[in-house]
Amino acid sequence: MSKEPVAVVGVGQTKHVAARRDVSIAGLVREAAQRALDDAELTWADVEAVVIGKAPDFFEGVMMPELYLADALGAVGKPMMRVHTAGSVGGSTALVAASLVAARVHGTVLTLAFEKQSESNAMWGLSLPIPFQQPLLAGAGGFFAPHVRAYMRRSGAPDTVGSLVAYKNRRNALKNPYAHLHEHDITLEKVQASPMLWDPIRYSETCPSSDGAVAMVLTDRAGAARAPRPAAWMHGGAMRSEPTLFAGKDSVSPRAGRDCAADVYRQAGIADPRREIDAVEMYVPFSWYEPMWLENLGFAAEGEGWKLTESGVTELDGDLPVDMSGGVLSTNPIGASGMIRFAEAALQVRGLAGEHQVEGARRVLGHAYGGGSQFFSMWLVGAEPPTS
Amino acid sequence: MTREAPRAAGVRDIAVVAFAQTDHRRTSEEISEVEMLMPVLHEVMESTGLKTADIDFTCSGSSDYLAGRAFSFTLALDGVGAWPPISESHVEMDGAWALYEAWVKLRTGDADTALVYSYGKSSPGSVRDVLTRQLDPYYVAPLWPDSVALAALQAQALIDAGTADEPALAAVGARSRADAAANSHAQPRGPVPQGDYLVRPLRTGDCPPIGDGAAAVVLAAGERARDLCERPAWIRGIDHRIEAHGIGVRDLTDSPSTRLAAERAGAYERPVDTAELHAPFSSQEVILREVLGLDDGVRVNPSGGALAANPIMAAGLIRIGEAAARIHRGESDRALAHATSGPCLQQNLVAVLEGDPR
């Protein structure tokens, strides 16, 4: 049976900052949603359903906040769903919303993801209590640092690669008015001189804690025809999960990530991602994950990802730009981070990414992951409608 | 604005083909959530003969706040056996909404089978206190109005409107517990006293038991459903709607979101013979019956309903499972299932299930 093509016709996000003390959670999400509607030149009445995502409720201390947010998001009298798939949630949320359109259950859907991390403390929110987790595994950095070490050992990557990614992404962020970190005086030396947090991960190679929200308006073919600005068309989307810890797990290049990418490429008719995809918004919370995911996503052979990074291929003006927006390294409202990747991919193929626009971007991948590198969600969007 | 629920040619038929649940208990402190869930997953898979690798899509519902730790659902996923990697998602909602997400996925044609599960352990904390955390965090939650107090406001509004009185509410509780006598999974079974006031006008008999439990359902599309189940419970319609959060702006004696969801699900097109209503408080059953137009000819909550077992995050999915199981057994031809979320019936889902004509 044929699916309805899904188009992104509106994107909105907040200026991400460490603490939005001027707005409530409701005010924050409303801001992003209104901007997405403005982009699509639609009103709240045009929205048929709302799909919202965020990471754990402990990050704000509100249980199932979608209940309280129904009014702020114009959802009263409409269907409203809440997705939660750990760090990949922003991507998963967009995919659930896209399914509603693809299945022709609804014609126009608002999807939104947020985190207001200043309401709580994410590091301790992420630190499961003993006996569920060993002590001194505070936050995500403690969990991922050994996997980075394993990658360095396996690939033989020089230990300078991580700082190159951080330096690039922070410079890209300067071109993105919505990015959280705007480090105007950033230099490679400053990144390399920053304190070691979880060896080999330095302070400047980690993501910030942000308050922020992002929203998209997804619609069907008829909705796209009415849209005032170019649409981004979904060519493929998939989620994959695998267990957290087990003997066969490859924490450097999880099979769930490889399978997820392969499914998206199959749907989109991509045979050679390195040549056929123009840019990637990749979920890189710690800088070393760029070379790791380049391999996992099939852009480089195993052990070769760091060479793309080192040679400048992933720079904004490179052959395969990665994290043009500055990425998670520059902006991390956790539950929103995945959807920001998806939304930035859409902005690129719509030609609306502003100063961080990649010239001629026609097909762009949005990528998210979460949990212990066990949850993956991705989509590939294009400037043209899908042909099949 | 919203299009008609499509029933046109080309839309796939999707059915509930299997259902399993735990025995719901006041506490299960000797086992983890995963240990509570595993037997249910095994049971629902065994009844269809499916293996994990045969399932195209998996979706679960649960709440970190009940578990008391972030990402609690990730541990349950390990129990599913997600290897090789699976296509999987999770809603921080009752499992009824996980079923809705799976139904949409099957509708796209990307999957032919889906496993849906949900679970909740209320026993580790005070569930009345925990649920206050789902209220508006700036104005309402700091006052700690608990879930029973909010339901009592709703019950009093109903009494003030002349729609019900305390004996009528007591009758709902008594009937539910009497029906639960035949349900081996229920908590209080058989006649129980209406009890003392918990929060006026609600007595203990008007309120749900606090308990731990899990449930799982298998969905399948088209011919696949007929292969897996002798009499599939076809989902003829399913829809959910939310209302404003602030109870001060709502008419607590009515449930417009249920009415809208029921309309969209096609519940009013023909009478149902069975209704499984997720009404944790007796007063809520009165409201739902009225809104759904269920007369005395409809068998309401033959399982005993949420007044006999209310494992939070699973109780809504159990309503769909119980309704489907009656169709599987040939005890119903057209059944309505309802799930609710939020204070005072804020959010409601309605599904209409049918068996093949006999």
Side-chain angles (χ1 to χ4, degrees), chain A residues 11-14 27-37 110 112-113 213-216:
Chain A
V11 172
Q13 57 185 312
T14 58
L28 184 78
V29 298
R30 176 95 178 176
E31 201 174 286
Q34 184 64 60
R35 286 175 185 166
L37 289 173
L110 174 70
L112 181 138
V214 58
M216 289 190 285

Side-chain angles (χ1 to χ4, degrees), chain B residues 124-341:
Chain B
S126 161
V127 72
R128 289 170 67 177
D129 289 341
V130 169
L131 290 176
T132 63
R133 302 299 90 194
Q134 84 182 181
L135 303 170
D136 176 311
Y138 303 98
Y139 296 108
V140 185
L143 302 173
W144 294 88
D146 77 27
S147 47
V148 180
L150 292 171
L153 283 174
Q154 187 168 33
Q156 189 60 52
L158 208 58
I159 291 170
D160 290 348
T163 313
D165 53 20
E166 289 192 36
L169 300 185
V172 171
R175 192 210 72 239
S176 298
R177 268 84 188 220
D179 281 341
N183 177 0
S184 63
H185 302 287
Q187 269 180 266
R189 293 157 56 194
V192 290
Q194 182 61 4
D196 298 327
Y197 286 114
L198 199 54
V199 179
R200 281 178 188 268
L202 295 177
R203 296 172 181 268
T204 51
D206 295 305
C207 302
I210 294 169
D212 302 350
V217 157
V218 174
L219 298 181
E223 284 309 303
R224 200 85 172 89
R226 291 183 206 281
D227 294 344
L228 297 170
C229 180
E230 204 167 308
R231 191 167 194 252
W234 301 106
I235 300 173
R236 294 300 182 210
I238 183 167
D239 193 272
H240 60 96
R241 301 281 153 165
I242 197 166
E243 293 175 36
H245 187 63
I247 55 172
V249 300
R250 287 159 53 192
D251 175 359
L252 292 181
T253 66
D254 193 8
S255 182
S257 58
T258 301
R259 186 179 295 109
L260 199 50
E263 249 170 50
R264 310 300 307 176
Y268 300 127
E269 289 169 12
R270 282 193 297 123
V272 296
D273 54 46
T274 301
E276 278 283 344
L277 306 179
H278 184 193
F281 298 93
S282 57
S283 40
Q284 295 179 341
E285 183 184 302
V286 174
I287 295 166
L288 292 169
R289 267 180 183 270
E290 171 69 24
V291 166
L292 293 167
L294 305 176
D295 59 30
D296 291 342
V298 180
R299 189 78 172 88
V300 173
N301 287 345
S303 65
L307 283 167
N310 189 40
I312 294 180
M313 298 298 138
L317 181 63
I318 291 169
R319 302 282 72 76
I320 300 174
E322 289 281 6
R326 275 178 76 82
I327 289 171
H328 296 163
R329 293 193 298 262
E331 294 165 5
S332 167
D333 293 317
R334 181 172 157 92
L336 180 148
H338 160 268
T340 195
S341 175

